Amino acid sequence: MAIGRFAGTAGEWLRGAGPEADIVISTRIRLARNVDGFPFQTRANPEQRRELADLLQGALKEVLTKERPLYVDVEKALDLDRQFLVERHLISRDLAGGEGPRGVVVTPPEDVSVMINEEDHVRLQVLHTGYQVRDTWKRADALDDALQERLPPAFSSRLGYLTACPTNVGTGLRVSVMVHLPALVITKHIEKVFYAMSKINLAVRGLYGEGTQAASDFFQISNQVTLGKTEEEILKTLESVLPEVVRYEREARQSLQRDNPSRLEDRVWRAYGVLAHARTITSEEALEKLSALRLGVNLGLVGGVDIQAVNELFILTQPAHLQKLRKDELEPAARDVARAEYLRERLKGKTK
Amino acid sequence: MAIGRFAGTAGEWLRGAGPEADIVISTRIRLARNVDGFPFQTRANPEQRRELADLLQGALKEVLTKERPLYVDVEKALDLDRQFLVERHLISRDLAGGEGPRGVVVTPPEDVSVMINEEDHVRLQVLHTGYQVRDTWKRADALDDALQERLPPAFSSRLGYLTACPTNVGTGLRVSVMVHLPALVITKHIEKVFYAMSKINLAVRGLYGEGTQAASDFFQISNQVTLGKTEEEILKTLESVLPEVVRYEREARQSLQRDNPSRLEDRVWRAYGVLAHARTITSEEALEKLSALRLGVNLGLVGGVDIQAVNELFILTQPAHLQKLRKDELEPAARDVARAEYLRERLKGKTK
């Protein structure tokens, strides 16, 4: 299927560029919308969902004409392809595991993905590399406006946008910033960050969002509240805190480099040694070692490997990606062997 | 001092050649002797010990003329040099830590070392690479005969050779074979080997002999009893058992390769990955990882590194060796850094 052309690369948002890219992987804006005149998913019958899917697909093709987007019919997709899209952060686990007519519109650089018939009729997502709250928001807002011109949203002048779940009512906005905080984890200051976030109603989640554990040293920081605040206020809350988190991580990195450089270098190079030589490796261990390698590359301790390559490996070594790369369904043990093989191909002999 | 010329290489016995060299590192014969007419060390005064040292040094220079041996006055040697000789298995910890006139006569390939004024007046050691009980014994026996012609030993027709400690009375002979048994350790069958050895009065010791723990996967198997048996009987006991140990280890290696080749290769290559990339490493971890690497080289899983190089690293990464190589006294933390540095120099980019 068409999405196969993505395998072997990762989305634009993993380019490792943009402001604060050594710490902030990506910025994501998500808008939850429903089409006026249609019942919410939970009450819609298959015919209504089919009609919605067709309507939205048509409208989004117009909105995104220049981007030449791809439509993936998630209902008809193979399990492996669904998992592949989840791993690339293009669809949610809920959309992958759902039922009935549903799909996703994706732009080729993967900076925009719009899920159709997820919990809400529309989940519009814009994903940019680095710390880019404003630009990401502007893009999402413009796409939302263009879509609303074609399909008016369910909206209440009292509540704002109406959504299937009350947690999204109001703005329907979630701003989410993915950060890499290895030094705060090593120095055991990460709990303080979590605590500070919870105080101002920000959520900290793992690499794969809601319901997934914070994996390794990667965290998604996002707003919890969508109601009773303007979009501007939500953006500002994130913008008031993120620079502090970045500064805090940067200080922790400096203190590691100052206090025990050998130990830090050792951690980084051992991680590289394992990644470039292991013959079998789980995705958890790969993630942990790639995190250490990423820190080493960012601190200039490892040369010859660029951040984009390391960022991409986080995605490309996930189970569905490995199976697409190997063009074969693989049992977990065989995946661990394939993962080690792929990491060696990409990393062995590359460092300086 | 003269022994400095040894640093950077290891003795002939670590050449990794000779019969069963994939499993048997070396064969060692040790003879305990005392010079007739002199009291044992415990009762000898400094003047008598000095006289003994001079007499023995002179006699050994004659016996070993062709070999152009080196004499190290251990009493006057620096602590670092003493430790250096211990690490190379040329002198015992007891001789290093002793007092008064004492020394060692060493041949340049380090296949013969004769300690003077250790527990006994003479501890004659012949050390050959691989499994070579007979040849090693012949060499030791001939040197012993030649020495006895010059300085008759304390001998009783009822007991045999008289020694300071009753455990060595009789033949004064210890045959000791150093074996590498990683597969028996991995498969947890090593305890059975220990049990079988103890049943026939063989001792199993660690890399640095008596009183040291069996380090990693290296063991010295030797006779416990020296009295009431002829030299021939002692040699035969070892010869009856060693081929079984070798066969047992070889079977364990085959079963590892057959049952889970990925896991075995993974263990070997991860060990290499750490050895070739770590920035700080303790001697215990280095030993453990070198053991896995040695197994990999012997099973043909790793190319480009030869067994001699790996064998040598066991010795060259010991604390005193590192300090001599770096020409500097180093604290333990600095030694761990220097050890990692040296391992990288020797191993990085060498494998295929």
Side-chain angles (χ1 to χ4, degrees), chain A residues 52-296:
Chain A
L52 269 167
D54 292 344
L55 272 174
L56 282 162
Q57 204 188 322
L60 287 162
K61 272 194 179 158
E62 287 175 30
V63 168
L64 291 162
T65 313
K66 277 190 298 185
E67 285 86 353
R68 309 185 55 144
L70 190 73
Y71 179 71
V72 182
D73 184 333
V74 174
E75 185 183 16
K76 293 186 185 148
L78 299 171
D79 277 347
L80 185 62
D81 287 331
R82 290 183 190 136
Q83 202 195 330
F84 179 82
L85 294 169
V86 170
E87 290 174 2
R88 293 180 88 80
H89 295 246
L90 295 173
I91 69 173
S92 64
R93 285 178 199 272
D94 280 352
L95 192 79
E99 285 193 343
R102 64 199 192 283
V104 66
V105 174
V106 181
T107 58
E110 300 174 53
D111 52 349
V112 177
S113 87
V114 189
M115 289 190 281
I116 296 173
N117 291 340
E118 209 249 21
E119 188 179 274
D120 296 299
H121 299 159
V122 178
R123 286 284 177 99
L124 190 158
Q125 166 182 285
V126 177
L127 196 52
H128 282 173
T129 184
Y131 180 57
Q132 302 199 58
V133 171
R134 289 289 151 176
D135 285 354
T136 312
W137 163 248
K138 272 181 207 156
R139 181 91 191 276
D141 193 30
L143 291 172
D144 183 39
D145 286 349
L147 182 61
Q148 290 193 22
E149 282 171 22
R150 286 157 181 91
L151 293 170
F155 186 84
S156 143
S157 56
R158 190 169 61 86
L159 293 170
Y161 294 102
L162 300 175
T163 55
C165 174
T167 56
N168 294 311
V169 168
T171 56
L173 169 65
R174 178 169 286 163
V175 186
S176 177
V177 181
M178 192 189 291
V179 286
H180 183 218
L181 307 177
L184 289 172
V185 173
I186 294 170
T187 58
K188 300 190 182 359
H189 287 137
I190 194 72
E191 294 295 334
K192 288 187 209 166
V193 175
F194 293 168
Y195 183 72
M197 298 293 127
S198 71
K199 282 288 198 185
I200 52 170
N201 283 316
L202 293 182
V204 182
R205 298 189 174 86
L207 195 54
Y208 282 95
E210 206 150 1
T212 68
Q213 267 230 306
S216 185
D217 309 324
F218 296 90
F219 306 96
Q220 297 194 55
I221 297 174
S222 61
N223 62 304
Q224 297 262 39
V225 180
T226 59
L227 181 67
K229 289 193 174 187
T230 63
E231 285 87 350
E232 185 58 29
E233 284 167 338
I234 292 170
L235 298 176
K236 281 205 169 140
T237 307
L238 265 292
E239 286 174 328
S240 70
V241 160
L242 251 294
E244 289 303 300
V245 174
V246 168
R247 191 176 54 80
Y248 201 30
E249 166 69 15
R250 208 159 270 149
E251 281 173 8
R253 292 181 184 189
Q254 280 162 3
S255 88
L256 288 174
Q257 281 197 289
R258 190 180 52 234
D259 299 345
N260 202 335
S262 288
R263 194 145 132 210
L264 179 64
E265 285 188 46
D266 188 55
R267 177 188 281 258
V268 168
W269 279 103
R270 279 172 182 256
Y272 172 77
V274 169
L275 290 168
H277 295 94
R279 258 55 184 172
T280 170
I281 191 166
T282 63
S283 55
E284 291 74 24
E285 189 187 0
L287 200 60
E288 179 205 317
K289 300 289 192 284
L290 284 167
S291 167
L293 179 58
R294 191 179 191 279
L295 178 64

Side-chain angles (χ1 to χ4, degrees), chain B residues 232-250:
Chain B
E232 185 60 28
E233 284 166 337
I234 293 170
L235 298 177
K236 280 202 169 142
T237 305
L238 265 291
E239 286 174 328
S240 70
V241 160
L242 251 293
E244 289 303 301
V245 174
V246 167
R247 191 176 56 78
Y248 200 30
E249 166 68 16
R250 210 160 266 148

Side-chain angles (χ1 to χ4, degrees), chain B residues 36-48:
Chain B
D36 195 30
F38 282 85
F40 288 144
Q41 293 298 335
T42 40
R43 297 171 177 244
N45 61 39
E47 288 69 36
Q48 289 169 314

Side-chain angles (χ1 to χ4, degrees), chain A residues 262 265-266 269-270 272-274 277-281 285 337 348, chain B residues 262 265-266 269-270 272-274 277-281 285 337 348:
Chain A
S262 288
E265 285 188 46
D266 188 55
W269 279 103
R270 279 172 182 256
Y272 172 77
V274 169
H277 295 94
R279 258 55 184 172
T280 170
I281 191 166
E285 189 187 0
V337 171
K348 198 173 169 183
Chain B
S262 288
E265 284 186 47
D266 188 55
W269 279 102
R270 279 172 182 255
Y272 172 77
V274 169
H277 296 94
R279 259 52 184 173
T280 168
I281 191 166
E285 189 187 0
V337 171
K348 197 173 170 184

